[in-house]
Structure formats: C-alpha cells, structure tokens
Amino acid sequence: MTIANPLLAPLSRTPITEGWTVRAASGPAEVGSQHLLATVPGVVHLDLMAAGLIPDPYLDDNESKLAWIGLVDWTYETQVTVTAEVLAAGERHELVFDGLDTIATVSLNGERLLEVANQHRRHRVDITDRLRAGDNRLTVEFRSPVRYANAQSVALGARPRPYPFPYDAIRKSACSFGWDWGIATYSSGIWRPVRLETWSGARLGDLLVTAEPQGAGGIVRVRAAVVRTGGELPLTMTVSVAGESATVDVDADRGVDIEVRIPDVEKWWPAGHGAQPLYDVSVRLSANASLLDETTRRVGFRTVRWNTTPDAAGTPFELVVNDRAIFVKGVNWIPDDAFPSRIDRSRYQRRLEQATHAHINLIRVWGGGIYEADDFYDLCDELGLLTWQDFPFACAAYSEDEPLRSEVEAEARDNVTRIAHHASLVLLTGNNENLWGYEDWGWKERLDGKSWGEHYYYELLPTIVAEIAPHVPYAPGSPFSPGGEHPNAERHGTMHLWEQWNRLDWKTYRDQTPRFVAEFGWQGPPTWSTLTQAIHDEPLTPESPGMIVHQKAIDGNAKLTSGLVPHYRVPEDMETWHWAMQLNQANAVTAALEWFRSHAPHTSGAVVWQLNDCWPVTSWAAIDGGGREKPLFFALRNAFAPRVVTVVPVAGELTVTLVNDTDESWSGDLELRRRDFSGRIVATDSRHVAVGPRATVRVAVDGAVAEPGDAARELLTAEALGQRGVWWFSEPRDSALPAPEFSLAVSHTDEETFDVEVTAGTILRDLAVLVDKIAPSATVDEGLRTLLPGEMTTFRISGVAAIAESELREPGILRSGNELVAGS
C-alpha cells in the first residue's frame, strides 16, 4: 500500500485497552470457562477479583487456595475495529506489546502472529497485510507458567535454586513463584500496554541518547535506527536540546549519529549533593518537511565511575559522580506489588519520595524482580535517586542453552536500550548472588558440568552494555570482587551480610569492615494496621495460621526470637511482641549503619535489604505492603542523616565518629557526658572538633567517661552542633530502664496535620508513635527518639481529621524500649 500524498502523516499510536475479555482455556479452572471482563494492562488475578470470583490473594491463606490459577491456560480476546480511512492513512500497521506475562501465542483473525516466552521483552509485529476494515479479532493465549517452567526445567536440565518451582527455566519475574518475603502468584496477563501503530515512509527505531558534561557545557549524542517501508524517500533527522539543534540527512542503509553541543549546562547530582536539572532531548524524523515520527528523552549531565583501584586494604567499590566520591546510602527495591500492573506513576512517586525522606540516595533494583517501568527511572532522575539495576537473575544456576540463551540476549538489548539514557542509572549488574552461589552453595557438584550462567555474566551482558551503553558501568554480579577474589570477600568489592540474621546476633555486624555492603537486613512484622487488615486469626498470635502464611522466611519466627533474646525478653502479648520485633529490627539496622558509616571512606556504601514490600508480610522492609512506614524506616532516616554522631566500640575502645555528608565544614565542641538514667551527669569530657565537607572524624573516648559506674543505670551521650550519639552500657533486658513517663501537648497546625509535643518525665529509649493504630491513613514524620528526663521532641502527624491526647495515651500508641524491660 502506497500513499501518493507527499505530505506524509506522522506516526499514530492507538492504545488497545477496551473490550478485552479473559477466560480459562484449559486446566483446573475453578471458575469455569465464562468470558470475564479484562483490564489491560493487567493480569488474570485482578480480573477474577473484579468479577467477584476469587478472594483477595493477600488475605489470610488465600494464596494456597488460588494456586490453581498458575496451572490454567488463559485466553484474552478483544475486537480491534479499524475504519477504511485508518487503513488508508498509513503504509504500515504494527501491533506493539510492551509486556506479555509470559508464555503466549498472539493471533489476529485466527492467524498466528507471535509466539512469546519472556515477560521482560517488548514485541512488535507487522500486521499490514492482515488488518482489515471493520472488526478484527485479537487473541492472546497464555499457557500455564507453572507447567511451562516445569517442562523447560526437564528439557534444559534441572539446576540448583533455593525454592521448589523452577523459576530459572522461564524468563519471568523469579519472585512471582514466591520468595522468602513474597507471595506466589504464578499469574498470566497482558501486564504492560498494547497498541496499534500506523505510519508511512519511515519511523524511528531503537534510540540511544547520552549526555556528557564538557567544561561549562555539554554534548548530547544520539544514535537512532530508522525503519523504512522501502524506497528512497529523502529523510532528515533533527535533534534539539536546550535551545540548540542539529539536522542531518538519513542514510538509506544506516542509522544516524548526531551530536549537539550546548555551551552552558548545569550538572546533575545525586540527592544530598546538589540539584537535578534535566534537559529534554527532542528527536524528529521528517520527509519533505513533513513530520513522520518524534520522541523525547530527558537527560542529565554528569559523569559516573566506580573506583576499584586496589589499595593497601584490598579493593574498594567507591561510587564517583562528577569526580566526587559519593557515600552510598542505599536500599534494595523489589516489585512494589505482587501484581506490578497495579503500580502507576503516582505510586512510584509516593514510594520514592518516602525514600528521599529517609535520606536515601541509591535504589538497587534487585535481580529477582523486573525491569521497572519508565516512570520509575524518570522519577529517580527527578529526585536524584541513583539507580543500580540488576539483570533479572537471582540465587539460581541458569541454563545457557536455547531457547533461554536467545531470550536473555533479546531482553538485555531491549531494556538496556530503554533505560540507558537516565542520569540516575549508575550501575548494571549481571545477577544477584549467583557468583556467590556457584562458589559456596554446593552448585558445582550438583551441576555436574552443566552451564550455570557464567557466559551471561562475564561475556554476553558486558558485551551488550559496552555496545549499547558504554557510559554505564557494569559489574558481573552482586556480591562481586573486582580483583578475582572470592565474590563475597570482605576486603574486596561488594559484600552481602546474611549470617547476622540467619544465625548470629546483630552486634556482630561490628566484627566486619567491608568495602561496600550491597545487602544486609533484619526482619520485622508490618505495621499493626497492615497486619490486621490482612490477617483475621482469632486469636492473633505470632504463630497463628495467618501469621505463618505471612512469614515466608525459613525458620523466620525462630530467627526473630533468637535475634530478640540477647536484647529484650520475648513479650507474652501479641501487640507487645509486634512492637518488640519491630524495634529490634530497627536497632539491628541502626547498629549496622552506624558501624559502616563510622568506617567511611574504607566502607564506601551500604544498601539495606529492603525498602519496600509487595504484599502484607513479615519481612526485612522499611515500608510495608500497605505503604506504611515501620520503625525501621525512621532508623534509616536517623542513621542516613547528612550529619550524624555515633558511638561505637572500635578495637575494644569506645569511639565517637562524626560524619559530615554535606558541602559545609562542621566544627564546634564535642560534649561527652556519662549520665545515669535520672539524667544526672556522672563524668564529662569536652574537646573541639572540626569535620570537613564530606568527611569523617573519629575521637577516642577517655576512660573516665567510657567506664560506667553502674552499667545497668548509665549511658554515654556525645553531642556536637545539635547532633547526638548515644551508647548504652548494657543491653536493655539487663538494664534498669524505668517505666515510661511523659507529658503531651497536641496542637492543630493545618488541615489534617497535628504537632504532638512529648516531654519526657523519665528517660525514654527509642520513643515512637505508632500512628496507624489511631487511623490507618495517618503518618508521622519522625521516630525512634531517645529523650533524657525533661527533654522534649515534636512529632508531626498527618492524614487524620482530629486527634486527642486521650487517643495518644491509649496503650500501644506511644511506645518505647522502656516497655520491653521487665523492671518497668
């Protein structure tokens, strides 16, 4: 089909979102084969829930009741109605799927178009000769992901993994088969948008955009592929940015490389280091002065590298942005919903803004999940949140044979091309824990010579990154040692620390001084509202049936208890047990972060496991599956603050560390005071300290202040310029912490916002306001405040229309570590 009109119409995109139905095609469907209304983008679970045919999988033990869904083949159908005018409006009509989950056959009017087997890829198919005026039947037939994965595991050869289902044999989000914090969904569906694209003459293909600062200015480089319908139509491409532009003729047989120089640009900085100016890069493809296609990419001008030059202590893994070393204050990220199609831009924004409130500057997108949507990376650019993207391989050996091998290459090319222009992207990583697993988890013997993914991590993926995105650093895995040492070596590269949670006390974080910690964490239950909205056990106990369903870690409750007992006794009632486990989680991560920050720059970053949850569950998350902030969130906020004073034992001696992660010098008097719990000062010391910008200073604590007279009744405070560090001489379970006493004053600041002033009558250890118990929608700005007698702090509570002092005094609202001590 050829259009004679020389004024060619630009490419049009028509979403195909209406009129979809879904039905069970085969398998043990408990809902029959009726045609149900389907939401696209979406997955079958959400359609079944909307029809009232299944309960919410997140509640109680509905997960096991709904496991049959993953054994069923599901068929989606819709009518695509096209007028003769639309058909005549373009030379080419293409069907574009941004994501199909996962094993699917796509047909149009009964003719097969596509066979797909990868959740992580986009697909495009030419339907010009198949599309007809009037109604066109579009069908997407999904096969059972469980049956397919099992069959592929046999065909490819079974390989080591930590969970029963062979998620390693299918290119689908690994955690959709369940994880030690995640629900198993095994869902199917058109999980990302689908559309019809109509165009004539030519359109833009793959587009690679880079932005590089150069002196006071910068260079934007664009490499674009152009797809033609054929012929010798003369084409031009124009790239415009910041008021500058360049236009070139398009060669008939090649892509296009264009440079645009901007004389004056502002550099993009990570959060806490400067602003995040972004520039729109417009790319326009034209023929005979008629626009054919256009797109925009937003870029920031910055340089990035990871310093891995060996030093006397080993091999660092130090992030350098714009020639400045950045201490990484990071969190690991999992899919924010077990059904990712429910995550829209506003939800990404809420979660990522919460991260910035906790002073976080890096998000690691973990390799057992997905490549996130464009909105995620766009928002990270805007907020200054550095992104570290794992390729989706996690905790398993992977076959290097076909068809997996080609799928891995296709998805890597697709997604690196899609996200490489983002200013926030500072690392692409080959996998999560697979290098470590191969060395230490008995894989070599069980593999018995079979491939395990080495080719992907050391050859295929770095080659693709070097070809498509040479400006983005790459590491073969996490953990990884750049010098060839053991992948989880303490003195080299990145390290994961899990022995503390699995079998050791959290105080043993202080036994190690890694160069960079990419994973560590401690478990705790979700907020009370999230917990009780999802679990309806009567009675609700730590080991009642619903609680066990929502505790996915092996021996999770036993590890919670073992980790609590060295610090607090195990409470008898459920609400106090809940608070104790949440507080111990926060204390564990606080201890680790204070230790790691005190060893900067030797330790150049810490990435906590994990920021978020995908459903209501006891887990390592700081923000639970309801989007509510746990006490751990405030532990992150406090420990990641720009300026902190910590007291930690180094080589058996107490040491005060002052960390200044700002551009301004920090100087003044450091006041050291040993006090008893009544607030009385027993011993003091004072000295002047000066901490330069982005620097760390350590000060030894002298014996008179460092040695308690009565360890059970004393603490050490170290104060400098409004910051305080605290050292407790005994574990709280062995201390004489008194029953908490305080006074309250509540003031209404504006609509649905209140200030709550708390004045301590006794010493208060780790005071927190569990505001969700007042109203599930309520939030609070601070937490885990330790107050000496007579001191006051203010909590700002939002999201509630009214609040009374009496409500705050209800049991379980204002909580502290004091309540967990037997003597109180």
Side-chain angles (χ1 to χ4, degrees), residues 63-134:
E63 175 188 9
S64 63
K65 296 177 184 176
L66 302 177
W68 59 268
I69 295 173
L71 296 169
V72 175
D73 298 341
W74 299 93
T75 298
Y76 282 75
E77 293 180 296
T78 192
Q79 293 279 8
V80 180
T81 302
V82 180
T83 66
E85 290 76 14
V86 169
L87 281 180
E91 294 179 273
R92 187 73 57 85
H93 304 280
E94 293 176 331
L95 195 59
V96 182
F97 291 91
D98 285 341
L100 294 170
D101 181 13
T102 293
I103 311 304
T105 300
V106 179
S107 301
L108 186 67
N109 298 323
E111 184 177 354
R112 186 170 297 181
L113 302 178
L114 283 173
E115 296 280 355
V116 303
N118 193 330
Q119 178 185 7
H120 306 300
R121 287 182 61 185
R122 295 175 292 183
H123 297 276
R124 177 186 292 270
V125 60
D126 182 1
I127 58 171
T128 305
D129 296 332
R130 300 175 175 88
L131 194 64
R132 63 196 184 202

Side-chain angles (χ1 to χ4, degrees), residues 457-654:
Y457 316 135
Y458 290 105
E459 298 178 40
L460 177 64
L461 296 177
T463 298
I464 290 171
V465 173
E467 173 192 338
I468 296 174
H471 59 290
V472 181
Y474 173 83
S478 181
F480 171 68
S481 296
E485 294 81 5
H486 186 283
N488 203 38
E490 179 180 355
R491 298 292 177 179
H492 303 276
T494 58
M495 190 178 192
H496 292 192
L497 289 172
W498 283 115
E499 284 301 286
Q500 283 73 22
W501 159 250
N502 283 317
R503 66 181 186 88
L504 303 174
D505 182 34
W506 52 254
K507 291 171 67 175
T508 64
Y509 284 122
R510 301 184 186 123
D511 294 339
Q512 295 181 287
T513 53
R515 304 310 302 268
F516 188 103
V517 190
E519 276 190 27
F520 75 98
W522 203 269
Q523 259 206 351
T527 61
W528 190 253
S529 292
T530 297
L531 185 72
T532 55
Q533 286 171 2
I535 302 170
H536 304 98
D537 294 345
E538 288 291 346
L540 180 67
T541 75
E543 295 183 346
S544 57
M547 287 292 293
I548 295 302
V549 169
H550 291 251
Q551 164 61 278
K552 295 296 186 180
I554 297 173
D555 296 328
N557 276 10
K559 291 174 183 177
L560 283 173
T561 300
S562 296
L564 180 70
V565 167
H567 310 285
Y568 291 103
R569 290 181 172 85
V570 181
E572 296 299 327
D573 70 281
M574 179 62 187
E575 284 199 57
T576 307
W577 176 92
H578 172 265
W579 163 239
M581 293 307 179
Q582 285 197 326
L583 179 58
N584 198 46
Q585 177 185 37
N587 289 166
V589 174
T590 296
L593 289 177
E594 289 184 346
W595 178 255
F596 298 144
R597 289 196 77 181
S598 74
H599 285 80
H602 172 89
T603 300
S604 59
V607 186
V608 178
W609 187 272
Q610 65 212 64
L611 177 68
N612 59 327
D613 265 330
C614 65
W615 76 311
V617 66
T618 296
S619 84
W620 297 262
I623 303 170
D624 70 23
R628 300 182 178 95
E629 295 160 359
K630 296 160 60 173
L632 173 59
F633 178 87
F634 298 105
L636 300 185
R637 176 168 167 77
N638 297 338
F640 278 153
R643 287 176 173 170
V644 295
V645 177
T646 65
V647 186
V648 294
V650 178
E653 296 185 354
L654 284 183

